[in-house]
Amino acid sequence: MNVLIDNREVFLSGFKNTGILFVFSAFFALILGTIVAGMRVSPAPAMRAAGTIYVNAVRNTPLTLILAFFALGYPRLGLPHLDYMFAAIVGLSLYTATYVSEAIRSGINTVSVGQSEAARAIGLTFMQTLSLIVLPQAFRSVVPPLFSVFIALLKNTTVAAGFGVVEAGGIRATLSDLGEPLLPGLLWVALIFVVLVLGILTPLQRYLEKKWRVAR
Amino acid sequence: MTNPVPSPVLVEMKAVNKHYGALHVLQDINLQVAKGEVVVVIGPSGSGKSTLCRTINRLETIDDGSITIEGKELPKEGKELANLRADVGMVFQSFNLFAHKTILENVTLGPIKVKGVSKSDAEKQALALLERVGVGHQAAKLPAQLSGGQQQRVAIARALAMKPKVMLFDEPTSALDPEMINEVLDVMVELAKEGMTMVVVTHEMGFARKAADRVVFMADGQIVEESTPNEFFTNPQSVRAKDFLSKILTN
Ligand SMILES: Nc1ncnc2c1ncn2[C@@H]1O[C@H](COP(=O)(O)OP(=O)(O)O)[C@@H](O)[C@H]1O
Ligand SMILES: [Mg+2]
């Protein structure tokens, strides 16, 4: 307990950055992932191909490589400077969006084709059919896999530590610089992650599942 | 049943062919439907009736030939295709009501999103339509809370809300329990009487006799026979039609 109290500044700023990385990356990944899922079921072959290539290319690249690109490769391209935090959010979002897209696409496949045929038959466009009829029904079955993706994202934020963003995964290093005992510090970090998942994400998942089940 | 003044052609299929891989599902189909006409399409399972019906609003594409509505070729894609579909109502065997929307929302969605009708006008019109098909008091419920017969009547109201030029019905009563078939057929007979142009895939002879101007008999992707309901049911010409009728009559 002493490790935690004596170093609350370190813990606080670490988890604050974890929170920022998580919230922004989850937000952008959800938007981008939904768009990509839409592309992958689009009637236009070029859209489908672009979506498929993106998902397969990025999903099969290790996250460390993606973040390394933004931390080490990107600055050499002579493009506008990105600070580490922003670059980490971009990398995490691009990476997580592929998993979001796959979760949503599998949800789309659970909605019967009759639903989109009926939508098209009354004159709704592809975008209207997707946004008004298919996605609202797909999101229900998507909640559990989506939360698995977000829990993975929460843990993946620690990878950003290796690239200069001081978040919770970096607390251990900071503590060891301060000469604190290593093991208790590590255990506290792990424990707080568990609390974040069980205390925030899991209840939120349960709430959404329940809310959308009633609406059926 | 013959019209003294010929009505203008509304739907015209000319030399239409379609394949599913090696299966030649529509073979040189020629069909005209006049304004106000009710055409019943009948034939054994797998003969291509659903496919024919679905090509008319381009839920299925065709390989060659042409399909026109009021003389205009069906648009290939995009906004124009969506606009065309708004003019062609479709009622499916499995109802396909939007499962997450209320009965009222099912009927108002098209007018609001496709035609830009205001919400209050759309609701007023939807309630009148629901009343007309006998489910006015169910407006606030979700589809799953209704019986099959009620759902199918809502589906008809949803199609009517778009004020379509022609309505397509693909075996609208085949998924229903027997005691619910008539409540749906009654609504369709009413529609026919009011002059709606209809293409109806059905095996309900009662409906064909009561409401159809013409029966089209399909087998193996071809239109084998076309005649008045009375002529078709009492005096079929082709061997296949005789064979088919003897089967559905003995069942
Ligand atoms: N999407 C499809 N892909 C391949 N074959 C199909 C498809 N839809 C229908 N068919 C085949 O086309 C034939 C005609 O089908 P359909 O038009 O549904 O017949 P009907 O409505 O007269 O029973 C059937 O043999 C069916 O198996
Ligand atoms: Mg059929």
Side-chain angles (χ1 to χ4, degrees):
Chain A
M1 190 53 93
N2 281 343
V3 181
L4 185 63
I5 294 169
D6 294 348
N7 299 288
R8 56 184 176 281
E9 299 292 314
V10 179
F11 275 89
L12 270 180
S13 76
F15 273 100
K16 191 185 106 203
N17 283 343
T18 294
I20 293 172
L21 284 175
F22 174 75
V23 169
F24 282 95
S25 305
F27 178 75
F28 290 123
L30 189 60
I31 291 175
L32 182 60
T34 306
I35 293 171
V36 173
M39 288 169 68
R40 296 200 70 184
V41 298
S42 140
M47 290 286 235
R48 282 204 301 274
T52 306
I53 289 170
Y54 166 65
V55 168
N56 287 328
V58 175
R59 195 166 57 140
N60 295 321
T61 306
L63 177 59
T64 36
L65 278 187
I66 293 172
L67 290 179
F69 166 77
F70 281 101
L72 310 171
Y74 180 86
R76 302 203 183 153
L77 296 179
L79 297 171
H81 171 77
L82 298 180
D83 71 46
Y84 280 147
M85 181 66 117
F86 188 78
I89 289 173
V90 172
L92 282 167
S93 301
L94 289 176
Y95 179 77
T96 309
T98 61
Y99 290 89
V100 170
S101 146
E102 287 303 278
I104 291 179
R105 196 165 67 102
S106 72
I108 288 175
N109 289 336
T110 67
V111 180
S112 85
V113 283
Q115 293 287 305
S116 61
E117 284 185 349
R120 286 189 284 152
I122 57 170
L124 296 182
T125 61
F126 168 74
M127 286 301 286
Q128 288 174 320
T129 300
L130 196 62
S131 63
L132 299 170
I133 304 300
V134 178
L135 283 178
Q137 295 187 65
F139 271 126
R140 277 166 206 169
S141 54
V142 157
V143 172
L146 211 51
F147 273 80
S148 299
V149 170
F150 287 147
I151 290 169
L153 168 64
L154 183 63
K155 296 186 288 184
N156 283 340
T157 56
T158 57
V159 178
F163 302 98
V165 178
V166 181
E167 46 61 71
I171 291 173
R172 181 199 54 77
T174 316
L175 290 183
S176 83
D177 289 349
L178 293 174
E180 292 280 358
L182 262 186
L183 197 56
L186 261 184
L187 287 177
W188 276 115
V189 172
L191 188 67
I192 295 174
F193 268 106
V194 171
V195 168
L196 286 178
V197 170
L198 293 182
I200 299 179
L201 286 181
T202 310
L204 183 61
Q205 171 178 354
R206 240 181 250 132
Y207 167 77
L208 289 178
E209 278 182 51
K210 202 155 148 202
K211 182 176 152 188
W212 281 335
R213 186 168 49 229
V214 176
R216 192 182 277 273
Chain B
M1 282 280 183
T2 46
N3 284 333
V5 186
S7 301
V9 175
L10 190 64
V11 179
E12 180 161 39
M13 304 179 74
K14 267 196 248 169
V16 168
N17 283 285
K18 179 177 179 67
H19 296 77
Y20 284 123
L23 178 68
H24 197 168
V25 59
L26 294 181
Q27 305 181 18
D28 196 33
I29 299 288
N30 291 287
L31 179 70
Q32 288 194 345
V33 183
K35 196 166 179 332
E37 196 180 18
V38 176
V39 174
V40 159
V41 181
I42 197 167
S45 171
S47 56
K49 307 179 298 294
S50 296
T51 308
L52 180 142
C53 202
R54 292 159 56 87
T55 58
I56 298 176
N57 66 356
R58 217 176 149 82
L59 281 180
E60 300 290 348
T61 56
I62 58 176
D63 298 341
D64 52 67
S66 81
I67 302 179
T68 56
I69 289 182
E70 287 185 329
K72 277 209 305 262
E73 193 87 24
L74 299 190
K76 296 258 179 296
E77 57 188 21
K79 191 70 197 153
E80 287 125 74
L81 177 57
N83 286 340
L84 168 111
R85 285 179 176 147
D87 283 342
V88 180
M90 175 131 195
V91 176
F92 301 84
Q93 181 174 341
S94 48
F95 331 136
N96 294 344
L97 293 182
F98 305 132
H100 62 308
K101 301 218 170 270
T102 65
I103 298 307
L104 186 65
E105 289 166 346
N106 263 274
V107 183
T108 57
L109 187 75
I112 293 172
K113 297 292 176 182
V114 178
K115 298 208 149 167
V117 175
S118 75
K119 186 159 179 252
S120 65
D121 286 355
E123 286 182 348
K124 220 178 294 165
Q125 183 210 342
L127 284 170
L129 281 169
L130 289 172
E131 205 61 55
R132 178 169 150 200
V133 299
V135 286
H137 51 295
Q138 316 277 14
K141 291 189 181 165
L142 287 169
Q145 296 171 285
L146 268 58
S147 74
Q150 291 172 326
Q151 289 191 50
Q152 194 60 301
R153 286 182 280 148
V154 174
I156 294 173
R158 173 176 69 181
L160 286 175
M162 300 304 291
K163 304 196 167 79
K165 292 175 179 152
V166 51
M167 294 263 288
L168 312 172
F169 295 80
D170 187 5
E171 303 209 30
T173 57
S174 299
L176 295 176
D177 294 335
E179 74 272 17
M180 295 176 184
I181 290 177
N182 279 328
E183 64 194 50
V184 172
L185 290 180
D186 289 347
V187 170
M188 292 169 57
V189 170
E190 271 316 299
L191 264 183
K193 275 195 197 138
E194 288 163 20
M196 177 61 75
T197 310
M198 295 161 69
V199 175
V200 185
V201 178
T202 185
H203 292 165
E204 293 294 333
M205 281 201 284
F207 173 80
R209 283 179 181 278
K210 234 186 271 178
D213 297 300
R214 191 148 49 104
V215 170
V216 168
F217 175 71
M218 275 188 86
D220 291 334
Q222 291 170 321
I223 292 180
V224 176
E225 201 166 325
E226 268 187 80
S227 52
T228 62
N230 196 37
E231 178 78 10
F232 179 76
F233 291 118
T234 55
N235 187 19
Q237 299 300 304
S238 61
V239 178
R240 317 192 68 156
K242 282 178 193 163
D243 187 44
F244 173 77
L245 284 174
S246 73
K247 275 182 195 145
I248 64 167
L249 288 176
T250 52
N251 280 355

